[in-house]
């Protein structure tokens, strides 16, 4: 090891002279090496989209999914290390199950977000642990409407109308800022998210990818479900057509 991090990046319990915890920064790099995950909150629900990079042509389609159901009305998407994210998925499901068994209702999204954030932050406090190498998006439908949160490896979390994590998060956020999310339906959001992910994918530098999408909306009965194959195929075709038009304009 050399440079400014020398001696200060061995443990997540040690601050550098600049006030940084390098282990958390390294966990963030693990997220940035992953495919992009996008979550949007529109007027009638939540849409998740993930660019799942295909590491081997021998992998079966649908293997190692990056979007999961936590409870009937709660979904979770992630970018980063799959093994770490699975631990958080199991933790989220355990929190939801325990809350339902105690109160006979779905766990409030804000409470689930707070508990997961605290759990993630705990792994930045002790020398025998390391931070989770993933960022997660949590979306749900409640009586007050859709809710969307993002949790970073440091344990910090925010509520969003739309956000992105992964290698192209900054460019994706720039595209999301152009959308009128409060006027958009989930069906429209599916096409926009597919367009953004295809637009940001670099066919030269990146591996092939599989587009995963899910939603929570009136069409799914306000439950977290995968986007229907017909709509997903339609969205991908529209995204590819948009890319061709942009190339012709250039």
């Amino acid at each position: 090891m050399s440079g400014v991090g020398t001696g200060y990046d061995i443990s997540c319990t040690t601050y550098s002279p600049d006030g940084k915890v390098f282990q958390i920064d390294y966990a963030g790099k693990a997220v940035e090496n992953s495919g992009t995950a996008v979550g949007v909150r529109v007027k009638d629900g939540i849409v998740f989209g993930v660019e799942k990079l295909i590491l081997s042509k021998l992998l079966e389609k649908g293997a190692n999914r990056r979007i999961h159901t936590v409870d009937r009305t709660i979904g979770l998407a992630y970018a980063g290390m799959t093994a770490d994210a699975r631990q958080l998925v199991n933790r989220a499901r355990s929190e939801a199950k325990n809350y339902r068994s105690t109160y006979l209702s779905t766990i409030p999204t804000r409470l689930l977000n707070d508990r997961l954030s605290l759990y993630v932050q705990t792994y930045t406090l002790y020398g025998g642990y390391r931070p989770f190498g993933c960022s997660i998006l949590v979306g749900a439908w409640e009586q007050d409407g859709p809710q969307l949160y993002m949790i970073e490896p440091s344990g910090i979390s925010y509520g969003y109308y739309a956000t992105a994590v992964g290698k192209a998060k900054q460019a994706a956020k720039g595209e999301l800022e152009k959308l009128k999310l409060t006027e958009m339906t989930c069906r429209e959001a599916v096409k926009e998210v597919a367009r953004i992910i295809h637009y940001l994918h670099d066919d030269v530098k990146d591996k092939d990818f599989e587009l995963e999408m899910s939603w929570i909306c009136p069409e799914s009965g306000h439950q977290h479900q995968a986007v229907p194959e017909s709509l997903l195929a339609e969205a991908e075709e529209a995204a590819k057509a948009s890319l061709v038009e942009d190339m012709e304009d250039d």
Side-chain angles (χ1 to χ4, degrees):
M1 293 178 290
S2 62
V4 70
T6 302
Y8 296 101
D9 59 357
I10 298 174
S11 170
C12 61
T13 62
T14 305
Y15 284 95
S16 74
D18 297 331
K20 292 184 177 181
V21 179
F22 284 105
Q23 288 286 324
I24 295 176
D25 290 345
Y26 298 160
K29 292 294 184 183
V31 177
E32 292 175 5
N33 289 334
S34 174
T36 307
V38 177
V40 297
R41 169 185 164 189
V42 293
K43 67 179 183 180
D44 64 345
I46 298 287
V47 173
F48 290 124
V50 175
E51 173 199 22
K52 189 180 74 176
L53 300 176
I54 300 175
L55 303 179
S56 170
K57 294 181 179 179
L58 300 178
L59 282 173
E60 182 180 355
K61 183 178 179 181
N64 297 324
R65 296 193 63 83
R66 291 180 174 265
I67 300 178
H68 300 270
T69 297
V70 175
D71 203 334
R72 285 183 295 229
T73 60
I74 305 174
L76 183 153
Y78 70 88
M81 299 175 67
T82 298
D84 287 17
R86 282 176 178 165
Q87 184 77 3
L88 294 180
V89 170
N90 289 336
R91 180 71 181 195
R93 287 172 174 168
S94 177
E95 293 286 358
K97 179 181 178 181
N98 291 339
Y99 189 94
R100 182 176 289 279
S101 65
T102 303
Y103 300 104
L104 304 179
S105 64
T106 303
I107 186 171
T109 319
R110 180 179 292 275
L111 179 59
L112 176 62
N113 173 73
D114 289 346
R115 291 183 177 181
L116 284 179
S117 297
L118 288 171
Y119 183 71
V120 170
Q121 196 259 343
T122 299
Y123 278 74
T124 69
L125 299 177
Y126 303 101
Y129 294 163
R130 66 162 175 78
F132 285 96
C134 60
S135 289
I136 61 175
L137 308 176
V138 180
W141 180 268
E142 297 184 347
Q143 291 183 346
D144 297 335
Q147 304 290 325
L148 177 66
Y149 294 90
M150 187 266 283
I151 304 174
E152 298 179 357
S154 64
I156 194 170
S157 65
Y158 298 99
Y160 286 93
Y161 282 103
T163 190
V165 293
K167 63 182 178 60
K169 66 176 182 180
Q170 293 299 338
K173 288 178 180 179
E175 292 294 318
L176 291 170
E177 289 173 356
K178 301 175 184 177
L179 304 179
K180 297 181 179 179
L181 297 169
T182 56
E183 302 174 8
M184 188 176 293
T185 64
C186 279
R187 186 168 277 268
E188 294 169 337
V190 166
K191 295 182 179 180
E192 289 295 338
V193 170
R195 179 189 65 80
I196 290 171
I197 291 177
H198 274 275
Y199 174 72
L200 297 177
H201 181 77
D202 191 331
D203 290 329
V204 176
K205 295 181 180 179
D206 297 332
K207 297 180 173 66
D208 291 338
F209 77 99
E210 178 183 339
L211 178 62
E212 286 186 31
M213 298 197 74
S214 68
W215 62 2
I216 309 168
C217 63
E219 289 191 51
S220 67
H222 291 139
Q223 296 188 11
H224 181 248
Q225 295 179 358
V227 170
E229 288 291 336
S230 58
L231 178 57
L232 181 59
E234 180 184 339
E236 290 209 78
E237 286 298 322
K240 292 174 183 176
S242 178
L243 284 178
V244 173
E245 290 179 6
D246 289 343
M247 292 175 63
E248 291 176 349
D249 291 340
D250 293 340

